[in-house]
Amino acid sequence: MSTSQGVNVLRYSALAAGLAYGVYHQSSLNSHARRAEADREYARKAALIEQAKAEWKKKTTPQQSQTQTSGVISDPADNRFDLEAYLKAKLGE
C-alpha cells in the first residue's frame, strides 16, 4: 500500500505542477495579446494623425501662384519656378 501512496503523491504533484504551469502560460499568452493589441491601436492612431496632418497641410497650403493669362509660375519658392519665363511674362504685360 505504501507504493500506491507514493504513486498517488507523484500523480497529484504532477497534476498541481501542470495546473500551475497552465495558469502561468495562459497569463503569459494573455499579456502578449494585450500588448500586441495596444501596439496595433497605437499604430492605427499614429496613422490617423499622419493622415490628418497631410490633409491639414493640403488644406492650408496656398494654391500654386500662377499668372492667369500666361500660365507662368510666379512663386519663387516653387521648385518649378522659371525665372526667364517669369521675366518674359512680366515684360510682355
Side-chain angles (χ1 to χ4, degrees), residues 32-65:
H32 184 324
R34 282 192 303 269
R35 187 171 44 248
E37 178 61 31
D39 290 344
R40 281 192 300 273
E41 183 65 18
Y42 181 82
R44 185 185 72 81
K45 287 180 180 180
L48 285 175
I49 289 170
E50 288 302 318
Q51 181 183 5
K53 283 181 181 179
E55 290 294 324
W56 181 82
K57 189 172 187 177
K58 185 169 67 171
K59 180 181 174 185
T60 58
T61 55
Q63 295 296 326
Q64 295 179 356
S65 300

Side-chain angles (χ1 to χ4, degrees), residues 68-84:
Q68 296 170 358
T69 57
S70 66
V72 176
I73 298 173
S74 63
D75 181 14
D78 194 342
N79 60 354
R80 297 176 296 152
F81 176 70
D82 184 10
L83 180 62
E84 183 179 355

Side-chain angles (χ1 to χ4, degrees), residues 20-41:
Y21 174 74
V23 168
Y24 168 76
H25 187 63
Q26 185 65 36
S27 171
S28 165
L29 291 175
N30 286 341
S31 68
H32 184 324
R34 282 192 303 269
R35 187 171 44 248
E37 178 61 31
D39 290 344
R40 281 192 300 273
E41 183 65 18

